[in-house]
Amino acid sequence: TREPGDRDRGDFRGAARLRMVQNTQGDEGSCATAAGEARRIMEMMTFRKKQTVDAATLAQTVRTVVVDDRVASRAKLKEEPFRDGPPSTGPGLPKNKVTTSLYTWNIFQIWAIIPLDLWRQFHRAANVYFLIIIVLQMINKISITGGLPTVAPPLALILTVTFCKDAYEDYRRHVADHAENVTVTHQVDLVTGEVKDVHWQDIEVGDVIEIRNRELIAADVVVVESSDPNGLCFVMTANLDGETNLKQRKVHTDMKHDPKDVLKRGVTVQCELPNNRLNTFEGTYQTGTASHSLGAENVLLRGTQLRNTESIKGVVIYTGAESKIQMNNAAPPVKMSSMTKLCNVETLWIITLQATFCLVAAASAVTLNYRDDVKCNMYIWGPKDNDLANWDRANCIQHTSIGEDKVAYFFIKFFNYVLIFTNFVPIAHVLTLDIVKLMQSSFMENDLKMYHEFKDLFGVTQEFPMVARTLELSEELGMVDYVFSDKTGTLTCNVMEFRKCSIQGISYGLGTTEIGRAYRERNNMPVEAEVPPLPGDKQTPNVNFRDPDPSDRSRPSLSKVISDPGNPRHQGVHDFFLSLSLNHEVLPEKRDGQTFLSASNPDEAALVYAAQHFDRRFHERKMDDVRVSVEGVEQSFTVLHNLEFSSKRARSSVIVRYADGTIMIFTKGADNVVKKRLSADTHVNPPDVYQATMAHLDEYVNDGLRTLLVGQRKIPDAEYEPWAAKMHAAEIALVNREEERYAVMDEIELGLELMGATAIEDKLQGGVGDTIAALRDGGVKVWMLTGDKVGTAVNIGYSCQLINLEMNMLRCVAGEDAEKGVQEGGVADTVGLTDVDKNGVPMTDVLKAHLDSLIHAHDAFQQEQERVNETRRRDQVPLLPPKESCLVVDTNALRGVEEAMESGKDSEVGQLFLKLASRVKSVICARVSPKQKSKIVAMVKESLPLKVTLSIGDGANDVPMIQTAHIGVGIFGLEGQQAVNSADFAIGQFRFLKPLMLVHGRWNLRRCSLLTCYLFYKNALLVLPQFFLGVRSLFSGMFTWYDLVYQWFNAVYTALPILFVATFDQDVNADIVMKYPSLYKDGLERKFMTHGSFWRWMFEGIMHGVVCYFFVEIAMGEDVVQSNGKAIGLFGAGIVMLWLVDLVANLRLGLEILYWTGYEAAFITVSILVFYVTWSVASSDNDFMVSVGYPNIVYGTMGWMMNGSWFWFTTFLALTFCLMPMYTIYVVKRSFLPSRADIGREIASGWINGVKQSEGSKTGGQRASA
């Protein structure tokens, strides 16, 4: 006998005994059936036994929530472990308040923000460096400023600007947090039945809340009651994933039949610990009499919106920071641009150089100043006890100052020169670079050439401007070596149209696609004419199906077959489209009186619309009941199980019960997966039907269509019931639920009858071919990563100009695709690649030999090309253009490479693959999974550390790939905004990658390179005259600069010109760059900034420092006296040097400007005038400068010097010696060794090869020159 609750508790022994007794009363066949039944039940019992978890393990792996009992729930939460993450949490958090701001914004604690932000800012090495300088400046023995911290004002300005920026951003987060925390929801008291309004922040784990239509969900909740009689509800998850289609959620089937036991204080929910997986959930709802499995379809997540449902009630399981939406807000991987890395290295070298200068100065001071003839120099040692009047030169040898301690004197002089060389490292480099990148990103976002809009299915205009989500990488866009692109939704529109199908070995549907026409033209095949729609043809969204004319009896007509019940093919066609109308997760959505099919996957919507087109219309889904109208007659089907699609399974199935009790399973999925699950019985799957269907698949692949195989099977009750029990046990498993469910699903999806195949077109986006061709011309290697079959991927590659007929195609394809031999223009696969293991992965030795043969084939091809060109060169015949190669690789070959590298079996395999991939121009990776995409990117990124990678995609499955690459670009697609939210940059379509990289990326790279080199150059120019003064003054440590000008040199006197130039300057205009993509190679060849170019600027700064110091020294001599009888002195000479330094620094920048608008000249002039005014004020007879802390040490110098011809002559000579060499070099280079940019500017101005072009011939001349 069997207790009523046996099945719910997983005890099936009574049922097993009962069935065996019943079966033994029959014949021998029944006994065999009984034995098989017993084995299945015993297997299920063993399976349940594996799921038994001890209490200690349970507490560490499962959250227990006590419904409507806060005290008990809090106690359970405290038992949870700390979890490292990411993101890290634990033990359990009961409160629902969310705080994303860094600081506490209230009247009592607002003042604590300042020290906290300062603490954060002083985690930056540059700020710590200048803080140390301030401390050193306040030590009198080493100070060059009389103990005044003159670096403090510039540093305070930088800290203040940064603090204001940080505070503003954090306050905005605080306002958003507060608005969310005080949103109202409704809490239910299960004892009194009272429903009261509460703020979101007052909700706790275990509470029961009521959510009403169009309200946002306050926390992650398990749905336990719905106003819908079938227990359904609908949510929009746009806040989670950007998808606006409605998704169905439901109360568990068994729970809705007994709401009193479910909504009862003290019952428990056991579920997985908080995590960031949005699409999965494992839990059980345990009442006093039963345990109900919970999945993702039973949970509503915080931030989603309830739609089309009056109200629901749910039990809160995750709150606040532990809700899934908050756990997905974890910081993305930190990415640092190549320039930032290079700057960090160069900064360390500059600091090393600075330390070297300081050591040389200190060592020289000790060596020189301890000589007897020097110890009597008062300006070196000063009078004893500062008694100048009683200075006794004869007794100076007995001077007993600190100078007697050489070690102490060495360190005093060392730190003395550290202070003198303070500005060797630009104090505002990072801040200036951040400001420039902010302005650059603003211009990128407002570029109308990267703005996209379209009208969606409901007629609403969707706007997608370019969005820069990461400022750090704006210049990195100008040096991308590898682009990894998804296909669906990235290269294609992701707007699916049902074009053709194969049913029972017969192909239906006429016409071809753009890809199909290109394929036929390449292979000299007749091109099928486009078939216009027939008069009266039905118009259905996402369906572009063409039947032959009714009078044409030579071609099969699907309309005729499906409308004629007497046709022998009618039943097969009916079952095919019925399966499409049942096997999906599409929901009908009404808007403006019309019904639309809402689907997260556009393929599913197209297939359901196709079934509707042929009068198998999906109407509605009510709990486990699906209603389909078949030729106007509504039929109801009970859905027993939805075996959902996942990238791992690559298929989906539905098990339904017909009205007569028949149980059927319908499966659709990738052909390589479904083929393995077809019945081997030739009566079920006749060989001729199977072969015909496979041939049709190849035809559809040549048309670039997306294909799926469709299968079905009738399931006997005797097989279904034990399987369902095993499935139930897997669904309530406490550990490894997903793996166990997938294993049970595999058992039922076997022995299928092949019904046919579907073919869906996903058209290429506009401009894709032009963009890829431009990237390739610019030297970028483009990889297409797709889940399509090899043939489909290759045909799409031709259509989007990723590959062409001139290329030598190298194939590294394993398994069934390897047997198809040579592709057009390509190298055949060796027979050895068909030698694979049970998983289809080629053997390591075979793979290595094949890769080596492909490398040799590529090299031989290149050598032959060089030999032909050598002959043509001798014959003075135009050379042939370089011959390029492409590589086609599939998932099995990639798995072989990955396994060899990961296991350490043979690292040479990975090296050979990367060696081959780096030599070809384009790579196509077919049948790859989302996980493989990220592995491919990581493999290239790690193995080629000097190369920059960019990944671009539009869906959630592209997120790992986007985050792995140096630069991630997301496309605003129809699959939500997960890719956009995880990317560094977001664009509306793939074609915008061309202006993003070729125009803005290249401009930004050059601008940021110029900014960095120039800032270090002018600081070297500023500080090195002090070193040369040390040479003349026995390194006494005397400071000749007027400190006001010295400290504000970077922030005031030279800041505006470089800020403007680094934001707006263009070496070539956008139209020329777009027309001649080869200009992008400047970035790939690292011509804008390298170690060499950086140190060329530094050498130039050193030489200009030499000129500015020695020209002043020579001009002024040793005893220059003003007209008032006073000597010019050290500081008078210093102000003249600073005048030259300011002029040279500003005018040197002018040599780099290539896009003059007039503002540049204005800013340079203003900067020089500000210096002039400062000098004028400091030189005048007033106490203002003294009152603000700057001694009047340059009084009267300006008037005397400005009136002297020697001053202007010295200025002219210094500018000539500093600027003329570089000006001459630039003129000669641009005249005789022009760069790509130089030629581009000539073309823009209408000059081709030194000849001015007329307007009519300019375009042709440009192309000929290119």
Side-chain angles (χ1 to χ4, degrees):
T1 58
R2 180 169 175 262
E3 297 292 335
D6 277 350
R7 178 167 177 173
D8 289 328
R9 292 195 300 268
D11 185 358
F12 299 90
R13 286 169 292 186
R17 287 194 297 271
L18 179 60
R19 286 183 185 152
M20 288 190 70
V21 169
Q22 291 172 342
N23 284 318
T24 51
Q25 294 174 357
D27 54 16
E28 288 184 351
S30 298
C31 291
T33 303
E37 182 78 2
R39 281 196 304 271
R40 282 192 290 268
I41 292 176
M42 295 305 294
E43 288 173 2
M44 184 200 56
M45 291 168 61
T46 304
F47 172 81
R48 287 302 308 275
K49 187 175 181 180
K50 288 194 300 181
Q51 295 298 323
T52 303
V53 182
D54 62 90
T57 304
L58 190 65
Q60 296 293 311
T61 57
V62 173
R63 163 166 291 189
T64 300
V65 176
V66 184
V67 176
D68 201 29
D69 190 336
R70 289 189 171 185
V71 175
S73 292
R74 287 178 185 173
K76 294 292 185 182
L77 293 178
K78 289 180 180 178
E79 298 175 1
E80 293 182 6
F82 177 82
R83 301 173 286 278
D84 291 333
S88 57
T89 58
L93 303 175
K95 294 290 186 179
N96 197 39
K97 185 176 182 178
V98 167
T99 303
T100 60
S101 60
L102 296 174
Y103 311 122
T104 303
W105 290 86
N106 62 55
I107 194 64
F108 302 105
Q109 295 177 284
I110 193 169
W111 296 109
I113 295 174
I114 297 176
L116 288 173
D117 188 74
L118 287 176
W119 174 254
R120 290 181 62 246
Q121 290 199 54
F122 279 107
H123 278 71
R124 299 172 184 167
N127 291 340
V128 174
Y129 169 79
F130 288 106
L131 180 63
I132 293 172
I133 295 298
I134 290 174
V135 173
L136 293 176
Q137 283 184 327
M138 297 172 69
I139 302 174
N140 285 324
K141 287 186 177 180
I142 63 173
S143 178
I144 60 173
T145 59
L148 295 176
T150 55
V151 175
L155 180 61
L157 176 63
I158 292 172
L159 294 176
T160 301
V161 171
T162 307
F163 168 77
C164 293
K165 177 180 72 71
D166 293 344
Y168 174 69
E169 292 176 351
D170 197 65
Y171 182 72
R172 290 178 61 186
R173 286 192 290 265
H174 166 73
V175 171
D177 290 344
H178 179 73
E180 184 172 343
N181 288 328
V182 298
T183 305
V184 174
T185 190
H186 321 286
Q187 183 180 358
V188 181
D189 188 320
L190 295 183
V191 176
T192 64
E194 177 188 3
V195 179
K196 61 180 180 180
D197 292 346
V198 295
H199 290 153
W200 279 21
Q201 63 186 13
D202 298 324
I203 293 297
E204 291 194 21
V205 172
D207 288 352
V208 178
I209 60 174
E210 180 179 275
I211 299 109
R212 295 162 189 170
N213 191 34
R214 290 194 170 269
E215 287 184 348
L216 295 176
I217 315 300
D220 295 353
V221 300
V222 172
V223 186
V224 292
E225 186 178 294
S226 173
S227 59
D228 183 87
N230 297 293
L232 301 180
C233 63
F234 301 90
V235 291
M236 187 172 69
T237 60
N239 288 339
L240 283 180
D241 51 27
E243 297 180 7
T244 56
N245 56 287
L246 298 186
K247 296 182 175 61
Q248 177 182 283
R249 299 292 182 263
K250 61 183 180 180
V251 181
H252 190 280
T253 308
D254 296 334
M255 290 167 61
K256 72 185 183 71
H257 297 311
D258 195 6
K260 291 184 178 180
D261 281 346
V262 171
L263 270 178
K264 183 178 180 181
R265 175 173 289 183
V267 300
T268 61
V269 179
Q270 286 189 335
C271 59
E272 58 192 2
L273 294 173
N275 58 71
N276 59 0
R277 297 187 295 273
L278 293 174
N279 300 316
T280 62
F281 177 78
E282 296 179 1
T284 56
Y285 198 99
Q286 297 176 340
T287 65
T289 59
S291 178
H292 309 289
S293 65
L294 299 173
E297 70 277 6
N298 308 121
V299 176
L300 303 183
L301 301 183
R302 178 185 176 122
T304 59
Q305 185 183 40
L306 189 68
R307 300 287 290 272
N308 292 4
T309 309
E310 185 177 336
S311 66
I312 65 100
K313 290 179 182 177
V315 176
V316 177
I317 52 174
Y318 306 131
T319 54
E322 292 186 334
S323 60
K324 287 183 180 287
I325 188 173
Q326 290 296 322
M327 297 193 80
N328 273 276
N329 286 341
V334 177
K335 295 182 179 180
M336 185 180 296
S337 70
S338 299
M339 180 171 293
T340 300
K341 296 175 184 176
L342 181 60
C343 286
N344 290 340
V345 173
E346 303 300 359
T347 300
L348 291 176
W349 279 110
I350 290 295
I351 292 174
T352 303
L353 181 62
Q354 176 183 356
T356 302
F357 277 124
C358 294
L359 288 171
V360 169
S364 299
V366 171
T367 303
L368 297 173
N369 295 338
Y370 271 83
R371 295 179 302 170
D372 289 343
D373 60 326
V374 175
K375 293 186 77 174
C376 292
N377 287 347
M378 184 176 63
Y379 83 92
I380 297 291
W381 294 106
K384 185 176 181 180
D385 300 324
N386 294 321
D387 186 2
L388 183 61
N390 298 317
W391 174 254
D392 183 357
R393 189 174 186 85
N395 297 324
C396 67
I397 302 299
Q398 284 75 39
H399 184 61
T400 55
S401 67
I402 190 68
E404 293 180 351
D405 187 348
K406 291 186 178 182
V407 175
Y409 186 71
F410 173 87
F411 282 106
I412 287 175
K413 290 305 173 186
F414 176 81
F415 287 111
N416 205 187
Y417 272 91
V418 166
L419 295 179
I420 290 174
F421 287 167
T422 294
N423 284 340
F424 218 147
V425 177
I427 187 172
H429 174 233
V430 175
L431 179 62
T432 306
L433 198 58
D434 286 345
I435 293 173
V436 165
K437 288 183 178 182
L438 178 64
M439 291 191 287
Q440 288 174 351
S441 67
S442 176
F443 289 121
M444 291 162 62
E445 291 179 338
N446 287 281
D447 187 350
L448 292 178
K449 292 181 180 178
M450 292 192 289
Y451 173 82
H452 179 60
E453 67 176 26
F454 71 95
K455 289 189 176 181
D456 63 12
L457 203 62
F458 308 106
V460 179
T461 300
Q462 303 288 339
E463 299 181 345
F464 301 117
M466 183 270 168
V467 177
R469 297 174 56 85
T470 302
L471 300 182
E472 168 66 17
L473 302 174
S474 62
E475 79 279 9
E476 195 86 341
L477 289 166
M479 50 196 305
V480 175
D481 299 276
Y482 289 86
V483 169
F484 299 91
S485 176
D486 174 44
K487 180 187 75 72
T488 304
T490 303
L491 302 179
T492 62
C493 298
N494 207 16
V495 177
M496 308 300 176
E497 290 186 338
F498 183 85
R499 290 296 303 261
K500 297 180 180 182
C501 61
S502 172
I503 307 174
Q504 293 182 330
I506 306 295
S507 181
Y508 299 96
L510 304 179
T512 187
T513 64
E514 180 183 345
I515 296 173
R517 282 189 290 272
Y519 171 80
R520 286 163 176 77
E521 289 172 358
R522 290 196 306 273
N523 292 275
N524 298 318
M525 298 168 62
V527 179
E528 187 176 352
E530 186 63 35
V531 181
L534 297 174
D537 269 1
K538 188 186 300 184
Q539 300 296 316
T540 306
N542 297 93
V543 176
N544 185 17
F545 185 86
R546 296 287 181 263
D547 242 354
D549 189 278
S551 60
D552 185 357
R553 297 181 178 274
S554 62
R555 301 181 180 180
S557 170
L558 188 56
S559 300
K560 285 184 179 179
V561 174
I562 202 165
S563 60
D564 180 11
N567 192 301
R569 300 196 189 102
H570 173 82
Q571 188 61 43
V573 171
H574 165 76
D575 290 343
F576 180 85
F577 285 107
L578 181 63
S579 72
L580 298 184
S581 66
L582 293 173
N583 185 11
H584 60 82
E585 294 182 354
V586 174
L587 295 173
E589 182 179 353
K590 293 187 178 181
R591 185 179 294 189
D592 299 330
Q594 292 184 320
T595 301
F596 299 91
L597 297 180
S598 179
S600 57
N601 185 342
D603 293 79
E604 283 208 328
L607 294 175
V608 178
Y609 272 124
Q612 175 181 315
H613 186 78
F614 293 103
D615 290 329
R616 273 66 184 164
R617 180 189 294 267
F618 164 67
H619 271 303
E620 62 179 344
R621 187 191 305 272
K622 290 185 177 180
M623 202 59 180
D624 295 331
D625 183 61
V626 173
R627 299 183 184 277
V628 177
S629 173
V630 179
E631 298 178 357
V633 179
E634 188 171 286
Q635 297 182 11
S636 178
F637 301 86
T638 301
V639 177
L640 302 176
H641 294 276
N642 257 319
L643 311 184
E644 72 278 2
F645 174 88
S646 71
S647 58
K648 184 177 181 180
R649 282 168 38 78
R651 63 187 182 278
S652 68
S653 299
V654 62
I655 301 176
V656 299
R657 190 192 301 274
Y658 286 22
D660 62 1
T662 301
I663 299 176
M664 296 290 297
I665 180 172
F666 297 107
T667 301
K668 68 174 187 289
D671 58 306
N672 61 323
V673 173
V674 175
K675 276 193 292 188
K676 298 174 183 177
R677 303 190 164 272
L678 297 178
S679 172
D681 190 338
T682 56
H683 293 92
V684 176
N685 291 310
D688 57 333
V689 172
Y690 177 84
Q691 295 299 333
T693 305
M694 295 303 108
H696 296 153
L697 279 180
D698 290 337
E699 292 177 13
Y700 301 156
V701 164
N702 293 335
D703 282 337
L705 300 176
R706 298 162 60 89
T707 60
L708 294 174
L709 284 183
V710 182
Q712 68 174 1
R713 179 168 72 91
K714 181 179 179 181
I715 304 176
D717 288 347
E719 178 186 353
Y720 172 73
E721 288 185 9
W723 178 88
K726 195 171 182 179
M727 187 66 181
H728 175 73
E731 288 176 338
I732 62 173
L734 299 177
V735 292
N736 299 327
R737 177 180 295 182
E738 183 176 283
E739 291 79 0
E740 300 293 353
R741 288 181 69 250
Y742 285 177
V744 178
M745 291 179 188
D746 288 346
E747 296 177 8
I748 200 74
E749 295 171 319
L750 293 172
L752 300 175
E753 173 192 354
L754 177 61
M755 303 172 70
T758 63
I760 294 176
E761 180 182 12
D762 185 11
K763 294 182 179 178
L764 287 173
Q765 295 178 13
V768 167
D770 177 63
T771 299
I772 291 180
L775 293 178
R776 290 176 49 237
D777 289 343
V780 181
K781 298 180 185 297
V782 183
W783 292 39
M784 182 177 75
L785 314 178
T786 176
D788 289 331
K789 298 179 67 174
V790 172
T792 305
V794 168
N795 286 319
I796 291 174
Y798 278 113
S799 298
C800 66
Q801 299 185 43
L802 181 66
I803 56 178
N804 56 53
L805 288 175
E806 301 301 321
M807 282 185 170
N808 180 37
M809 184 183 293
L810 309 173
R811 287 167 48 89
C812 183
V813 180
E816 57 181 274
D817 291 308
E819 299 171 358
K820 295 182 179 178
V822 183
Q823 296 291 316
E824 57 262 32
V827 174
D829 293 282
T830 61
V831 179
L833 269 187
T834 59
D835 185 10
V836 297
D837 62 17
K838 62 179 181 180
N839 296 315
V841 179
M843 303 301 178
T844 300
D845 292 340
V846 172
L847 181 57
K848 184 162 65 173
H850 183 66
L851 290 170
D852 194 53
S853 68
L854 292 180
I855 292 173
H856 286 305
H858 172 271
D859 292 345
F861 192 76
Q862 294 293 322
Q863 290 167 6
E864 176 64 20
Q865 178 84 351
E866 291 174 5
R867 188 188 61 78
V868 172
N869 273 338
E870 184 62 31
T871 303
R872 296 174 71 91
R873 189 178 292 109
R874 287 197 303 269
D875 297 340
Q876 297 184 346
V877 177
L879 302 182
L880 296 174
K883 192 78 172 179
E884 298 173 340
S885 298
C886 64
L887 173 65
V888 179
V889 58
D890 75 338
T891 183
N892 290 328
L894 284 170
R895 283 170 61 194
V897 174
E898 292 167 10
E899 290 178 5
M901 294 180 69
E902 291 174 358
S903 64
K905 289 188 297 185
D906 197 336
S907 59
E908 189 180 352
V909 173
Q911 294 171 2
L912 286 172
F913 176 76
L914 290 170
K915 183 178 180 180
L916 174 62
S918 63
R919 294 190 181 191
V920 301
K921 195 68 176 177
S922 304
V923 178
I924 296 175
C925 300
R927 287 196 185 276
V928 291
S929 65
K931 188 175 181 180
Q932 270 187 313
K933 291 180 183 180
S934 63
K935 284 187 175 182
I936 292 168
V937 177
M939 180 170 58
V940 174
K941 179 181 175 182
E942 293 168 5
S943 302
L944 303 171
L946 299 180
K947 302 297 184 181
V948 177
T949 59
L950 180 148
S951 292
I952 180 169
D954 75 311
N957 60 343
D958 300 318
V959 169
M961 173 179 75
I962 286 172
Q963 292 188 335
T964 301
H966 292 97
I967 306 171
V969 178
I971 290 183
F972 292 98
L974 300 179
E975 295 185 10
Q977 296 188 22
Q978 299 99 315
V980 167
N981 294 336
S982 303
D984 304 304
F985 302 93
I987 54 179
Q989 289 205 316
F990 183 85
R991 59 190 169 94
F992 298 142
L993 199 61
K994 183 178 178 181
L996 181 66
M997 289 174 55
L998 270 59
V999 178
H1000 291 284
R1002 188 181 177 281
W1003 281 350
N1004 293 344
L1005 176 61
R1006 177 181 173 272
R1007 292 163 178 169
C1008 291
S1009 300
L1010 175 61
L1011 171 71
T1012 299
C1013 291
Y1014 177 74
L1015 289 182
F1016 280 91
Y1017 154 80
K1018 67 186 179 72
N1019 276 39
L1021 171 61
L1022 176 65
V1023 302
L1024 285 173
Q1026 287 293 138
F1027 182 80
F1028 304 130
L1029 176 65
V1031 175
R1032 287 283 289 157
S1033 63
L1034 302 179
F1035 294 100
S1036 64
M1038 193 60 195
F1039 192 60
T1040 187
W1041 291 151
Y1042 183 47
D1043 203 58
L1044 171 66
V1045 178
Y1046 177 69
Q1047 296 301 342
W1048 292 97
F1049 179 81
N1050 287 309
V1052 176
Y1053 304 112
T1054 56
L1056 289 179
I1058 184 59
L1059 203 61
F1060 187 86
V1061 170
T1063 304
F1064 294 99
D1065 195 45
Q1066 304 172 10
D1067 60 337
V1068 184
N1069 68 49
D1071 292 337
I1072 294 297
V1073 178
M1074 294 285 278
K1075 187 176 293 185
Y1076 302 108
S1078 59
L1079 285 162
Y1080 190 78
K1081 292 179 181 178
D1082 290 343
L1084 301 185
E1085 295 167 3
R1086 308 299 191 256
K1087 290 191 174 181
F1088 294 121
M1089 184 173 174
T1090 60
H1091 291 286
S1093 63
F1094 178 86
W1095 286 101
R1096 180 186 63 76
W1097 274 90
M1098 289 300 298
F1099 176 76
E1100 194 177 346
I1102 294 171
M1103 298 311 298
H1104 290 177
V1106 170
V1107 171
C1108 291
Y1109 172 76
F1110 285 104
F1111 272 44
V1112 172
E1113 180 178 322
I1114 294 171
M1116 297 186 70
E1118 297 182 359
D1119 297 304
V1120 179
V1121 181
Q1122 302 180 49
S1123 58
N1124 59 8
K1126 292 184 177 182
I1128 288 296
L1130 190 63
F1131 295 104
I1135 196 70
V1136 177
M1137 291 181 203
L1138 280 172
W1139 163 258
L1140 294 180
V1141 166
D1142 186 63
L1143 283 176
V1144 170
N1146 279 293
L1147 295 179
R1148 176 63 183 86
L1149 179 63
L1151 295 181
E1152 299 298 323
I1153 300 174
L1154 298 171
Y1155 179 58
W1156 287 91
T1157 63
Y1159 291 103
E1160 299 85 1
F1163 281 122
I1164 291 174
T1165 303
V1166 167
S1167 296
I1168 295 172
L1169 286 176
V1170 169
F1171 182 94
Y1172 180 88
V1173 171
T1174 303
W1175 188 6
S1176 177
V1177 173
S1179 180
S1180 62
D1181 187 11
N1182 64 72
D1183 296 328
F1184 172 73
M1185 302 307 294
V1186 177
S1187 67
V1188 295
Y1190 293 98
N1192 198 357
I1193 57 176
V1194 292
Y1195 169 72
T1197 56
M1198 185 177 188
W1200 182 84
M1201 291 182 184
M1202 290 288 181
N1203 291 326
S1205 58
W1206 69 270
F1207 173 80
W1208 295 109
F1209 184 67
T1210 302
T1211 300
F1212 172 76
L1213 281 180
L1215 292 178
T1216 302
F1217 272 80
C1218 288
L1219 302 181
M1220 188 55 70
M1222 284 309 302
Y1223 177 77
T1224 304
I1225 290 172
Y1226 283 169
V1227 169
V1228 171
K1229 245 180 99 179
R1230 291 168 187 171
S1231 299
F1232 301 103
L1233 297 169
S1235 66
R1236 297 185 184 94
D1238 295 332
I1239 296 173
R1241 286 193 300 277
E1242 288 185 5
I1243 293 175
S1245 60
W1247 291 87
I1248 306 295
N1249 297 326
V1251 179
K1252 184 71 173 179
Q1253 301 296 300
S1254 64
E1255 291 299 322
S1257 63
K1258 189 180 294 185
T1259 302
Q1262 289 171 0
R1263 292 201 175 276
S1265 176

